[in-house]
Amino acid sequence: MEYYLCNLVLKGAGGTADHLVAGPWYINGAWPNTFDLGVVPAGGYDGISVDLGLPPALNQTNALPPAMEHVNMAWPIPMGGGYHFMKFEGHFLLQGQPTGFAMHLGKDQNLVHCELSQPFTVGIDQGKLALVFNLNEVFRDPHTYDLSTGNQSMGSDSLMALLRDNCSNAFTFQFLP
Amino acid sequence: MRSRAALLGIAVAAMAVWAGCRKDPAAEMPDPCAFPATPFQLDYHAFFPDPVIPADNPMTVEGIELGRRLYYDPLLSSSGPLAGKSCSSCHFQEHAFTVPDPGVPAIGNTNVMSHCNLAWATHFLWDGSAGPTLEDVMRYEVEEFFRLDVGVLRNHPEYPELFRKAFGTCEVTLPLVEKAMAQWFRRLTSANSKFDRFLKNEEALSPGEWRGFQLFFTEAGDCFHCHSMPLMTDNGFHNIGLDSVFAGQGVGRYAVTGNPMDLGAFKTPTLRNIALTAPYMHDGRFQTLEEVVDFYSAGAKHSPSLDPIMTKPGTGITLGMTAQQKADLVAFLHTLTDEAFVTDTALASPF
């Protein structure tokens, strides 16, 4: 499981300004992932928004530093260039037989925007924002995703559109003062 | 009492000053072993990732030259069961530092991997059991594989001076042998194939090569997920469906991790210079690139640990390529040959 996050916005409330941290951040499910949001103004917030993927300016071949994790996320030039926004691979049971699936998402039009409304208050001390990606939701909300007919998404704009919609509902967060 | 204490204090202070002014005769003597090694800058494209070079083993001209000599010198094995062999016995430059014979008994009939662009690798051997750094691999190669008696080098008429120049020390130790060899392996960089020149707009691909390029980097061939640019490997491990039952060395990465999902998974070999590195696969079962492409087109086998990428849209596991597509793919693979790499005299035997 690999993906990028970017454009994290803490939505200010009651006079608190919005706080944007652009990223991007490469996330790999094989290990814990933490990133620094810098100095967040104390105050009340209505929630957050975050994008899964890369903004168009960075979704171009060789736009990211040539680190190994980025070159392995490259979206091939003959398929438009840029980067995979997400690689989610595994196996599912099809008629009792383990079968592979590869949910790959990319292309500018499939940048996933997530709006997460949940009030929280940031104090003057350090805090943490725990972002959770619920993988079950990738396959069920708002579209029921049928792996038996769509176990590979990368070559299909329609399948990637389903993933984009579903991933927008797949995140939750918790603010830990 | 107060006055004695004050005097004592003055005496101690005076002694400290005096000691500080003393000159250490030894400090004025030049270190007879010191040598200012020449930093070496690895040459590679801007689109290559940053190589893995430990801070305690920077590349130097002298370190690389020592590693080169050790690579080609049978002295490395003189005290072990492989006496008479050097690295170069199974890694020929003209074959991109591998060997055209399938399997070498000394390493259990596994196919010999190419020594190419290992500066960017993090796990080594087909099952990834060596590493994660090249220095770790060299520790295995020098101490366990070749079983080097370092005394052979210490008593050699030339090696001690080569170590002095490489590391600025009169000591010859196993860790320094391993560091020098790691530097040499990082030097084995291939980045000047026709495909590289195509990427830099310096050379065009033929129509067949171009079609093969399109196959390689789209879902039609779907090679790129594991053989990703620019190294043409993702440094990962995959079960590509060679077998459906796994035993012995065929268990692959599972032997290291114990994870059933790693059964039959092997390290993705680089495809750079692949036309020169037959036979293919971990056990050398395919003799030609055509056989390899035939396998991907129609021969993959199901198993619970089959890599998800090998399952094609519709849950099939074959690509069903036409004869023309297969020929085009092979033509593209030939563009990954780096003639400069296999003829560079700086990489050849110094003997």
Side-chain angles (χ1 to χ4, degrees), chain B residues 121-179:
Chain B
T122 49
H123 290 85
F124 303 84
L125 305 183
W126 283 104
D127 60 4
S129 57
T133 70
L134 264 174
E135 281 73 8
D136 296 325
V137 181
M138 293 305 118
R139 192 171 304 120
Y140 162 77
E141 297 288 348
V142 170
E143 298 182 28
E144 295 182 39
F145 188 71
F146 285 114
R147 298 186 197 175
L148 169 67
D149 174 2
V150 75
V152 173
L153 299 179
R154 287 182 184 137
N155 297 322
H156 191 272
E158 297 171 17
Y159 272 111
E161 178 63 5
L162 295 175
F163 275 86
R164 188 184 76 81
K165 288 184 173 177
F167 298 108
T169 173
C170 289
E171 293 185 355
V172 176
T173 65
L174 286 172
L176 292 181
V177 171
E178 292 148 12
K179 282 188 171 183

Side-chain angles (χ1 to χ4, degrees), chain B residues 21-320:
Chain B
C21 293
R22 281 183 68 189
K23 292 182 179 177
D24 180 1
E28 292 183 341
M29 296 282 290
D31 180 355
C33 298
F35 188 89
T38 314
F40 180 86
Q41 186 63 45
L42 202 57
D43 185 25
Y44 54 89
H45 296 320
F47 51 80
F48 268 48
D50 294 330
V52 183
I53 301 177
D56 67 349
N57 192 22
M59 296 178 72
T60 65
V61 171
E62 294 81 3
I64 292 166
E65 194 53 36
L66 172 58
R68 177 193 188 192
R69 182 163 174 145
L70 290 165
Y71 186 88
Y72 283 100
D73 196 342
L75 209 59
L76 202 66
S77 63
S78 60
S79 53
L82 299 175
K85 300 283 189 185
S86 67
C87 301
S88 62
S89 299
C90 295
H91 297 274
F92 304 156
Q93 184 181 10
E94 61 268 35
H95 291 284
F97 296 96
T98 183
V99 65
D101 296 327
V104 176
I107 54 174
N109 290 320
T110 54
N111 196 9
V112 175
M113 300 188 85
S114 170
H115 291 164
C116 168
N117 292 344
L118 296 184
W120 289 270
T122 49
H123 290 85
F124 303 84
L125 305 183
W126 283 104
D127 60 4
S129 57
T133 70
L134 264 174
E135 281 73 8
D136 296 325
V137 181
M138 293 305 118
R139 192 171 304 120
Y140 162 77
E141 297 288 348
V142 170
E143 298 182 28
E144 295 182 39
F145 188 71
F146 285 114
R147 298 186 197 175
L148 169 67
D149 174 2
V150 75
V152 173
L153 299 179
R154 287 182 184 137
N155 297 322
H156 191 272
E158 297 171 17
Y159 272 111
E161 178 63 5
L162 295 175
F163 275 86
R164 188 184 76 81
K165 288 184 173 177
F167 298 108
T169 173
C170 289
E171 293 185 355
V172 176
T173 65
L174 286 172
L176 292 181
V177 171
E178 292 148 12
K179 282 188 171 183
M181 293 191 68
Q183 289 187 41
W184 164 250
F185 273 74
R186 292 190 178 97
R187 173 68 180 83
L188 298 175
T189 300
S190 175
N192 191 24
S193 66
K194 182 175 185 178
F195 182 56
D196 293 305
R197 296 190 292 276
F198 162 74
L199 290 174
K200 293 189 288 186
N201 294 318
E202 295 174 358
E203 188 169 353
L205 300 182
S206 72
E209 292 165 349
W210 170 258
R211 291 192 300 270
F213 164 70
Q214 297 283 332
L215 280 167
F216 191 100
F217 287 104
T218 61
E219 296 286 86
D222 200 9
C223 313
F224 66 91
H225 275 117
C226 301
H227 298 286
S228 46
M229 284 212 314
L231 301 170
M232 311 312 285
T233 172
D234 63 353
N235 274 325
F237 299 86
H238 304 274
N239 170 6
I240 59 171
L242 288 168
D243 300 298
S244 55
V245 178
F246 309 101
Q249 291 181 323
V251 302
R253 182 69 173 158
Y254 172 81
V256 177
T257 66
N259 182 349
M261 296 311 290
D262 285 332
L263 274 168
F266 291 92
K267 173 128 184 171
T268 309
T270 179
L271 295 189
R272 287 186 171 275
N273 302 296
I274 194 68
L276 304 176
T277 62
Y280 304 107
M281 306 300 168
H282 66 281
D283 53 4
R285 68 178 66 189
F286 299 132
Q287 300 301 311
T288 67
L289 287 175
E290 286 76 8
E291 288 179 35
V292 174
V293 173
D294 280 343
F295 159 75
Y296 280 111
S297 182
K301 297 181 177 74
H302 261 301
S303 69
S305 59
L306 181 68
D307 195 281
I309 289 295
M310 293 299 294
T311 312
K312 302 307 172 194
T315 67
I317 56 172
T318 59
L319 292 168

Side-chain angles (χ1 to χ4, degrees), chain A residues 1-131:
Chain A
M1 179 68 183
E2 300 169 271
Y3 57 98
Y4 289 104
L5 292 176
C6 68
N7 294 330
L8 179 68
V9 180
L10 282 69
K11 307 275 189 162
T16 305
D18 286 357
H19 182 71
L20 165 69
V21 190
W25 302 281
Y26 166 79
I27 310 294
N28 190 316
W31 52 72
N33 300 270
T34 60
F35 47 87
D36 190 355
L37 298 182
V39 178
V40 177
Y45 293 86
D46 283 335
I48 68 169
S49 68
V50 67
D51 293 343
L52 184 156
L54 293 168
L58 291 179
N59 190 31
Q60 299 177 28
T61 296
N62 295 333
L64 294 179
M68 199 68 204
E69 63 265 27
H70 298 319
V71 299
N72 279 343
M73 290 292 275
W75 195 269
I77 294 170
M79 296 182 75
Y83 295 88
H84 286 72
F85 294 168
M86 176 180 78
K87 287 183 183 178
F88 174 24
E89 298 171 5
H91 294 81
F92 67 106
L93 288 174
L94 180 65
Q95 298 171 345
Q97 179 169 311
T99 305
F101 69 82
M103 300 296 98
H104 289 194
L105 186 65
K107 297 188 173 179
D108 289 345
Q109 66 268 30
N110 293 319
L111 181 64
V112 179
H113 184 68
C114 309
E115 289 280 350
L116 308 175
S117 298
Q118 181 181 317
F120 61 97
T121 302
V122 175
I124 56 172
D125 297 325
Q126 285 190 335
K128 286 185 179 176
L129 197 151
L131 199 57

